[in-house]
mmCIF file of all heavy atoms in Angstrom:
data_model
loop_
_atom_site.group_PDB
_atom_site.id
_atom_site.type_symbol
_atom_site.label_atom_id
_atom_site.label_comp_id
_atom_site.label_asym_id
_atom_site.label_seq_id
_atom_site.Cartn_x
_atom_site.Cartn_y
_atom_site.Cartn_z
ATOM 1 N N ASP A 1 277.585 120.241 208.520
ATOM 2 C CA ASP A 1 278.252 120.235 209.822
ATOM 3 C C ASP A 1 277.272 120.352 210.960
ATOM 4 O O ASP A 1 277.340 119.619 211.943
ATOM 5 C CB ASP A 1 279.292 121.257 209.878
ATOM 6 C CG ASP A 1 280.485 121.026 208.812
ATOM 7 O OD1 ASP A 1 280.666 119.930 208.455
ATOM 8 O OD2 ASP A 1 280.982 122.049 208.430
ATOM 9 N N LYS A 2 276.356 121.314 210.832
ATOM 10 C CA LYS A 2 275.508 121.584 211.953
ATOM 11 C C LYS A 2 274.485 120.383 212.144
ATOM 12 O O LYS A 2 274.102 120.013 213.232
ATOM 13 C CB LYS A 2 274.636 122.849 211.605
ATOM 14 C CG LYS A 2 275.577 124.040 211.543
ATOM 15 C CD LYS A 2 274.751 125.358 211.092
ATOM 16 C CE LYS A 2 275.580 126.474 210.920
ATOM 17 N NZ LYS A 2 274.873 127.683 210.393
ATOM 18 N N LEU A 3 274.099 119.807 211.052
ATOM 19 C CA LEU A 3 273.080 118.733 211.085
ATOM 20 C C LEU A 3 273.614 117.565 211.815
ATOM 21 O O LEU A 3 272.826 116.771 212.441
ATOM 22 C CB LEU A 3 272.603 118.468 209.598
ATOM 23 C CG LEU A 3 271.585 117.289 209.435
ATOM 24 C CD1 LEU A 3 270.241 117.814 209.964
ATOM 25 C CD2 LEU A 3 271.424 116.890 207.942
ATOM 26 N N LEU A 4 274.943 117.355 211.761
ATOM 27 C CA LEU A 4 275.508 116.199 212.271
ATOM 28 C C LEU A 4 276.177 116.464 213.674
ATOM 29 O O LEU A 4 276.929 115.528 214.237
ATOM 30 C CB LEU A 4 276.606 115.647 211.327
ATOM 31 C CG LEU A 4 276.120 115.185 210.015
ATOM 32 C CD1 LEU A 4 277.253 114.741 209.062
ATOM 33 C CD2 LEU A 4 275.107 113.975 210.131
ATOM 34 N N THR A 5 275.996 117.629 214.280
ATOM 35 C CA THR A 5 276.407 117.908 215.553
ATOM 36 C C THR A 5 275.476 118.038 216.677
ATOM 37 O O THR A 5 274.249 118.404 216.344
ATOM 38 C CB THR A 5 277.352 119.222 215.567
ATOM 39 O OG1 THR A 5 276.441 120.273 215.231
ATOM 40 C CG2 THR A 5 278.430 119.173 214.497
ATOM 41 N N ARG A 6 275.817 117.655 217.813
ATOM 42 C CA ARG A 6 274.951 117.796 218.977
ATOM 43 C C ARG A 6 274.509 119.233 219.165
ATOM 44 O O ARG A 6 273.295 119.493 219.467
ATOM 45 C CB ARG A 6 275.496 117.207 220.208
ATOM 46 C CG ARG A 6 274.616 117.200 221.413
ATOM 47 C CD ARG A 6 275.286 116.618 222.700
ATOM 48 N NE ARG A 6 274.460 116.497 223.750
ATOM 49 C CZ ARG A 6 274.811 116.017 225.022
ATOM 50 N NH1 ARG A 6 276.025 115.550 225.076
ATOM 51 N NH2 ARG A 6 273.992 116.093 225.954
ATOM 52 N N GLU A 7 275.446 120.133 219.082
ATOM 53 C CA GLU A 7 275.195 121.525 219.359
ATOM 54 C C GLU A 7 274.242 122.168 218.248
ATOM 55 O O GLU A 7 273.409 122.943 218.526
ATOM 56 C CB GLU A 7 276.498 122.432 219.290
ATOM 57 C CG GLU A 7 276.382 123.761 219.863
ATOM 58 C CD GLU A 7 275.861 123.779 221.193
ATOM 59 O OE1 GLU A 7 276.236 122.999 222.126
ATOM 60 O OE2 GLU A 7 274.852 124.549 221.529
ATOM 61 N N GLY A 8 274.387 121.599 217.025
ATOM 62 C CA GLY A 8 273.379 122.077 215.966
ATOM 63 C C GLY A 8 272.051 121.771 216.321
ATOM 64 O O GLY A 8 271.018 122.495 216.163
ATOM 65 N N TRP A 9 271.772 120.536 216.879
ATOM 66 C CA TRP A 9 270.419 120.135 217.252
ATOM 67 C C TRP A 9 269.980 120.916 218.517
ATOM 68 O O TRP A 9 268.749 121.092 218.692
ATOM 69 C CB TRP A 9 270.302 118.614 217.413
ATOM 70 C CG TRP A 9 270.227 117.988 216.066
ATOM 71 C CD1 TRP A 9 271.121 117.377 215.328
ATOM 72 C CD2 TRP A 9 269.004 117.956 215.262
ATOM 73 N NE1 TRP A 9 270.621 116.972 214.152
ATOM 74 C CE2 TRP A 9 269.373 117.267 214.003
ATOM 75 C CE3 TRP A 9 267.612 118.475 215.368
ATOM 76 C CZ2 TRP A 9 268.435 117.102 212.981
ATOM 77 C CZ3 TRP A 9 266.820 118.188 214.385
ATOM 78 C CH2 TRP A 9 267.189 117.478 213.178
ATOM 79 N N LYS A 10 270.904 121.178 219.371
ATOM 80 C CA LYS A 10 270.447 122.006 220.528
ATOM 81 C C LYS A 10 269.983 123.356 220.156
ATOM 82 O O LYS A 10 269.057 123.847 220.580
ATOM 83 C CB LYS A 10 271.682 122.221 221.485
ATOM 84 C CG LYS A 10 271.898 120.941 222.228
ATOM 85 C CD LYS A 10 273.164 121.211 223.202
ATOM 86 C CE LYS A 10 273.523 120.013 224.065
ATOM 87 N NZ LYS A 10 274.631 120.241 224.989
ATOM 88 N N ASN A 11 270.767 123.913 219.076
ATOM 89 C CA ASN A 11 270.219 125.205 218.522
ATOM 90 C C ASN A 11 268.868 125.087 217.870
ATOM 91 O O ASN A 11 268.030 126.000 217.921
ATOM 92 C CB ASN A 11 271.278 125.750 217.520
ATOM 93 C CG ASN A 11 272.512 126.385 218.121
ATOM 94 O OD1 ASN A 11 272.393 126.758 219.422
ATOM 95 N ND2 ASN A 11 273.557 126.452 217.490
ATOM 96 N N ALA A 12 268.686 123.962 217.241
ATOM 97 C CA ALA A 12 267.351 123.718 216.552
ATOM 98 C C ALA A 12 266.203 123.641 217.723
ATOM 99 O O ALA A 12 265.117 124.196 217.547
ATOM 100 C CB ALA A 12 267.414 122.380 215.821
ATOM 101 N N PHE A 13 266.583 123.005 218.777
ATOM 102 C CA PHE A 13 265.624 122.956 219.925
ATOM 103 C C PHE A 13 265.309 124.370 220.430
ATOM 104 O O PHE A 13 264.166 124.699 220.697
ATOM 105 C CB PHE A 13 266.169 122.081 220.993
ATOM 106 C CG PHE A 13 265.945 120.572 220.721
ATOM 107 C CD1 PHE A 13 265.494 120.147 219.456
ATOM 108 C CD2 PHE A 13 266.157 119.705 221.760
ATOM 109 C CE1 PHE A 13 265.301 118.811 219.312
ATOM 110 C CE2 PHE A 13 265.858 118.307 221.570
ATOM 111 C CZ PHE A 13 265.462 117.836 220.268
ATOM 112 N N ARG A 14 266.339 125.199 220.578
ATOM 113 C CA ARG A 14 266.239 126.467 221.078
ATOM 114 C C ARG A 14 265.344 127.361 220.073
ATOM 115 O O ARG A 14 264.464 128.193 220.535
ATOM 116 C CB ARG A 14 267.552 127.265 221.308
ATOM 117 C CG ARG A 14 268.420 126.601 222.378
ATOM 118 C CD ARG A 14 269.671 127.299 222.749
ATOM 119 N NE ARG A 14 270.561 126.542 223.605
ATOM 120 C CZ ARG A 14 271.639 125.889 223.302
ATOM 121 N NH1 ARG A 14 272.018 125.881 221.944
ATOM 122 N NH2 ARG A 14 272.389 125.272 224.178
ATOM 123 N N ASN A 15 265.503 127.226 218.783
ATOM 124 C CA ASN A 15 264.734 127.821 217.942
ATOM 125 C C ASN A 15 263.283 127.528 217.952
ATOM 126 O O ASN A 15 262.332 128.208 217.749
ATOM 127 C CB ASN A 15 265.269 127.605 216.519
ATOM 128 C CG ASN A 15 266.608 128.352 216.140
ATOM 129 O OD1 ASN A 15 266.844 129.316 216.852
ATOM 130 N ND2 ASN A 15 267.304 127.839 215.180
ATOM 131 N N ALA A 16 263.064 126.199 218.204
ATOM 132 C CA ALA A 16 261.741 125.609 218.333
ATOM 133 C C ALA A 16 260.915 126.339 219.391
ATOM 134 O O ALA A 16 259.719 126.761 219.260
ATOM 135 C CB ALA A 16 261.627 124.173 218.425
ATOM 136 N N ILE A 17 261.620 126.544 220.551
ATOM 137 C CA ILE A 17 261.089 127.256 221.701
ATOM 138 C C ILE A 17 260.862 128.648 221.326
ATOM 139 O O ILE A 17 259.937 129.418 221.802
ATOM 140 C CB ILE A 17 261.872 127.095 222.989
ATOM 141 C CG1 ILE A 17 261.938 125.661 223.378
ATOM 142 C CG2 ILE A 17 261.373 127.991 224.074
ATOM 143 C CD1 ILE A 17 260.667 125.020 223.725
ATOM 144 N N GLY A 18 261.780 129.249 220.611
ATOM 145 C CA GLY A 18 261.588 130.594 220.040
ATOM 146 C C GLY A 18 260.246 130.797 219.285
ATOM 147 O O GLY A 18 259.523 131.807 219.408
ATOM 148 N N GLU A 19 259.972 129.771 218.521
ATOM 149 C CA GLU A 19 258.642 129.687 217.733
ATOM 150 C C GLU A 19 257.481 129.792 218.743
ATOM 151 O O GLU A 19 256.450 130.425 218.533
ATOM 152 C CB GLU A 19 258.595 128.527 216.829
ATOM 153 C CG GLU A 19 259.493 128.510 215.734
ATOM 154 C CD GLU A 19 259.202 129.504 214.687
ATOM 155 O OE1 GLU A 19 258.034 129.568 214.251
ATOM 156 O OE2 GLU A 19 260.085 130.294 214.179
ATOM 157 N N TRP A 20 257.564 129.003 219.711
ATOM 158 C CA TRP A 20 256.561 128.879 220.753
ATOM 159 C C TRP A 20 256.426 130.332 221.435
ATOM 160 O O TRP A 20 255.338 130.844 221.799
ATOM 161 C CB TRP A 20 256.780 127.858 221.848
ATOM 162 C CG TRP A 20 256.485 126.512 221.458
ATOM 163 C CD1 TRP A 20 257.312 125.436 221.075
ATOM 164 C CD2 TRP A 20 255.104 125.921 221.282
ATOM 165 N NE1 TRP A 20 256.576 124.371 220.665
ATOM 166 C CE2 TRP A 20 255.291 124.613 220.824
ATOM 167 C CE3 TRP A 20 253.849 126.436 221.515
ATOM 168 C CZ2 TRP A 20 254.226 123.806 220.668
ATOM 169 C CZ3 TRP A 20 252.813 125.619 221.267
ATOM 170 C CH2 TRP A 20 252.906 124.317 220.847
ATOM 171 N N ASP A 21 257.569 130.984 221.749
ATOM 172 C CA ASP A 21 257.573 132.262 222.282
ATOM 173 C C ASP A 21 256.763 133.242 221.529
ATOM 174 O O ASP A 21 256.058 134.146 221.941
ATOM 175 C CB ASP A 21 258.968 132.785 222.558
ATOM 176 C CG ASP A 21 259.708 132.103 223.589
ATOM 177 O OD1 ASP A 21 259.070 131.626 224.547
ATOM 178 O OD2 ASP A 21 260.966 132.228 223.677
ATOM 179 N N MET A 22 256.921 133.136 220.205
ATOM 180 C CA MET A 22 256.292 134.064 219.340
ATOM 181 C C MET A 22 254.731 133.786 219.178
ATOM 182 O O MET A 22 254.010 134.674 218.914
ATOM 183 C CB MET A 22 256.995 134.020 217.846
ATOM 184 C CG MET A 22 258.292 134.697 217.792
ATOM 185 S SD MET A 22 258.756 134.934 216.019
ATOM 186 C CE MET A 22 259.069 133.114 215.564
ATOM 187 N N LEU A 23 254.388 132.569 219.218
ATOM 188 C CA LEU A 23 253.103 132.175 218.767
ATOM 189 C C LEU A 23 252.166 131.594 219.778
ATOM 190 O O LEU A 23 250.889 131.658 219.578
ATOM 191 C CB LEU A 23 253.173 131.120 217.704
ATOM 192 C CG LEU A 23 253.606 131.473 216.329
ATOM 193 C CD1 LEU A 23 253.973 130.451 215.416
ATOM 194 C CD2 LEU A 23 252.646 132.469 215.662
ATOM 195 N N TRP A 24 252.552 131.195 221.050
ATOM 196 C CA TRP A 24 251.754 130.500 221.933
ATOM 197 C C TRP A 24 250.513 131.365 222.344
ATOM 198 O O TRP A 24 249.463 130.813 222.394
ATOM 199 C CB TRP A 24 252.450 129.974 223.139
ATOM 200 C CG TRP A 24 252.705 130.989 224.174
ATOM 201 C CD1 TRP A 24 253.967 131.754 224.250
ATOM 202 C CD2 TRP A 24 251.794 131.399 225.341
ATOM 203 N NE1 TRP A 24 253.776 132.543 225.424
ATOM 204 C CE2 TRP A 24 252.557 132.341 226.016
ATOM 205 C CE3 TRP A 24 250.598 130.980 225.685
ATOM 206 C CZ2 TRP A 24 251.981 133.032 227.180
ATOM 207 C CZ3 TRP A 24 250.072 131.501 226.749
ATOM 208 C CH2 TRP A 24 250.781 132.473 227.530
ATOM 209 N N GLU A 25 250.718 132.578 222.566
ATOM 210 C CA GLU A 25 249.555 133.522 222.946
ATOM 211 C C GLU A 25 248.524 133.658 221.752
ATOM 212 O O GLU A 25 247.453 133.561 222.142
ATOM 213 C CB GLU A 25 250.124 134.905 223.380
ATOM 214 C CG GLU A 25 250.938 134.884 224.631
ATOM 215 C CD GLU A 25 251.389 136.299 225.013
ATOM 216 O OE1 GLU A 25 251.444 137.120 224.093
ATOM 217 O OE2 GLU A 25 251.726 136.523 226.200
ATOM 218 N N ASP A 26 249.079 133.756 220.537
ATOM 219 C CA ASP A 26 248.188 133.901 219.387
ATOM 220 C C ASP A 26 247.348 132.518 219.238
ATOM 221 O O ASP A 26 246.207 132.566 218.946
ATOM 222 C CB ASP A 26 248.846 134.272 218.148
ATOM 223 C CG ASP A 26 249.345 135.579 218.122
ATOM 224 O OD1 ASP A 26 248.732 136.428 218.850
ATOM 225 O OD2 ASP A 26 250.204 135.961 217.306
ATOM 226 N N ILE A 27 248.106 131.392 219.388
ATOM 227 C CA ILE A 27 247.480 130.055 219.194
ATOM 228 C C ILE A 27 246.405 129.918 220.384
ATOM 229 O O ILE A 27 245.256 129.586 219.963
ATOM 230 C CB ILE A 27 248.445 129.038 219.266
ATOM 231 C CG1 ILE A 27 249.400 129.046 217.988
ATOM 232 C CG2 ILE A 27 247.793 127.657 219.256
ATOM 233 C CD1 ILE A 27 250.601 128.092 217.984
ATOM 234 N N ALA A 28 246.690 130.247 221.500
ATOM 235 C CA ALA A 28 245.819 130.022 222.600
ATOM 236 C C ALA A 28 244.529 131.054 222.335
ATOM 237 O O ALA A 28 243.392 130.562 222.563
ATOM 238 C CB ALA A 28 246.426 130.442 223.951
ATOM 239 N N ALA A 29 244.821 132.234 221.969
ATOM 240 C CA ALA A 29 243.758 133.134 221.691
ATOM 241 C C ALA A 29 242.785 132.661 220.551
ATOM 242 O O ALA A 29 241.584 132.694 220.609
ATOM 243 C CB ALA A 29 244.255 134.550 221.378
ATOM 244 N N GLY A 30 243.512 132.110 219.488
ATOM 245 C CA GLY A 30 242.729 131.641 218.420
ATOM 246 C C GLY A 30 241.833 130.435 218.866
ATOM 247 O O GLY A 30 240.646 130.364 218.397
ATOM 248 N N PHE A 31 242.378 129.549 219.599
ATOM 249 C CA PHE A 31 241.448 128.434 220.096
ATOM 250 C C PHE A 31 240.274 128.847 220.916
ATOM 251 O O PHE A 31 239.177 128.378 220.836
ATOM 252 C CB PHE A 31 242.372 127.434 220.991
ATOM 253 C CG PHE A 31 243.138 126.543 220.061
ATOM 254 C CD1 PHE A 31 243.706 126.847 218.804
ATOM 255 C CD2 PHE A 31 243.502 125.141 220.495
ATOM 256 C CE1 PHE A 31 244.378 126.016 218.055
ATOM 257 C CE2 PHE A 31 244.181 124.351 219.704
ATOM 258 C CZ PHE A 31 244.657 124.661 218.552
ATOM 259 N N VAL A 32 240.553 129.867 221.875
ATOM 260 C CA VAL A 32 239.650 130.446 222.714
ATOM 261 C C VAL A 32 238.521 131.126 221.873
ATOM 262 O O VAL A 32 237.231 130.916 222.161
ATOM 263 C CB VAL A 32 240.137 131.409 223.747
ATOM 264 C CG1 VAL A 32 239.071 132.008 224.539
ATOM 265 C CG2 VAL A 32 241.044 130.522 224.785
ATOM 266 N N VAL A 33 238.979 131.960 221.006
ATOM 267 C CA VAL A 33 237.993 132.696 220.138
ATOM 268 C C VAL A 33 237.153 131.753 219.358
ATOM 269 O O VAL A 33 235.928 131.889 219.359
ATOM 270 C CB VAL A 33 238.701 133.584 219.231
ATOM 271 C CG1 VAL A 33 237.783 134.259 218.085
ATOM 272 C CG2 VAL A 33 239.283 134.873 219.987
ATOM 273 N N ALA A 34 237.728 130.748 218.755
ATOM 274 C CA ALA A 34 236.916 129.788 217.937
ATOM 275 C C ALA A 34 235.973 129.003 218.799
ATOM 276 O O ALA A 34 234.819 128.820 218.473
ATOM 277 C CB ALA A 34 237.876 128.848 217.331
ATOM 278 N N ALA A 35 236.388 128.716 220.142
ATOM 279 C CA ALA A 35 235.521 128.048 221.038
ATOM 280 C C ALA A 35 234.334 128.847 221.442
ATOM 281 O O ALA A 35 233.218 128.380 221.479
ATOM 282 C CB ALA A 35 236.302 127.540 222.253
ATOM 283 N N LEU A 36 234.680 130.134 221.766
ATOM 284 C CA LEU A 36 233.530 131.020 222.113
ATOM 285 C C LEU A 36 232.583 131.259 221.006
ATOM 286 O O LEU A 36 231.268 131.281 221.298
ATOM 287 C CB LEU A 36 234.118 132.377 222.588
ATOM 288 C CG LEU A 36 234.914 132.271 223.985
ATOM 289 C CD1 LEU A 36 235.480 133.544 224.296
ATOM 290 C CD2 LEU A 36 234.024 131.882 225.120
ATOM 291 N N ILE A 37 232.982 131.317 219.814
ATOM 292 C CA ILE A 37 232.173 131.547 218.662
ATOM 293 C C ILE A 37 231.243 130.328 218.439
ATOM 294 O O ILE A 37 230.059 130.359 218.210
ATOM 295 C CB ILE A 37 233.010 131.909 217.358
ATOM 296 C CG1 ILE A 37 233.585 133.393 217.466
ATOM 297 C CG2 ILE A 37 232.072 131.819 216.149
ATOM 298 C CD1 ILE A 37 234.505 133.671 216.399
ATOM 299 N N ALA A 38 231.978 129.219 218.502
ATOM 300 C CA ALA A 38 231.292 127.927 218.413
ATOM 301 C C ALA A 38 230.160 127.762 219.407
ATOM 302 O O ALA A 38 229.129 127.246 219.187
ATOM 303 C CB ALA A 38 232.219 126.795 218.448
ATOM 304 N N ALA A 39 230.488 128.133 220.530
ATOM 305 C CA ALA A 39 229.477 128.000 221.760
ATOM 306 C C ALA A 39 228.371 129.007 221.813
ATOM 307 O O ALA A 39 227.240 128.685 222.123
ATOM 308 C CB ALA A 39 230.215 128.013 223.120
ATOM 309 N N PHE A 40 228.583 130.286 221.344
ATOM 310 C CA PHE A 40 227.689 131.323 221.569
ATOM 311 C C PHE A 40 227.123 131.917 220.246
ATOM 312 O O PHE A 40 226.057 132.585 220.358
ATOM 313 C CB PHE A 40 228.375 132.443 222.352
ATOM 314 C CG PHE A 40 228.588 132.065 223.878
ATOM 315 C CD1 PHE A 40 229.869 131.719 224.269
ATOM 316 C CD2 PHE A 40 227.543 131.978 224.771
ATOM 317 C CE1 PHE A 40 230.056 131.413 225.497
ATOM 318 C CE2 PHE A 40 227.845 131.679 226.069
ATOM 319 C CZ PHE A 40 229.107 131.278 226.493
#
C-alpha cells in the first residue's frame, strides 16, 4: 500500500533527508581528512 501511494514516497523522501542529517558531517569530514592526508 505504501509503495503505491504518493504519501508513502513522500515519507521515503523524508527518510532520505534523515540519512543526510545523520551522515553529511561525517561524509564531509571523511572527504576533507582524506584530502589533507593525500596532500600532506
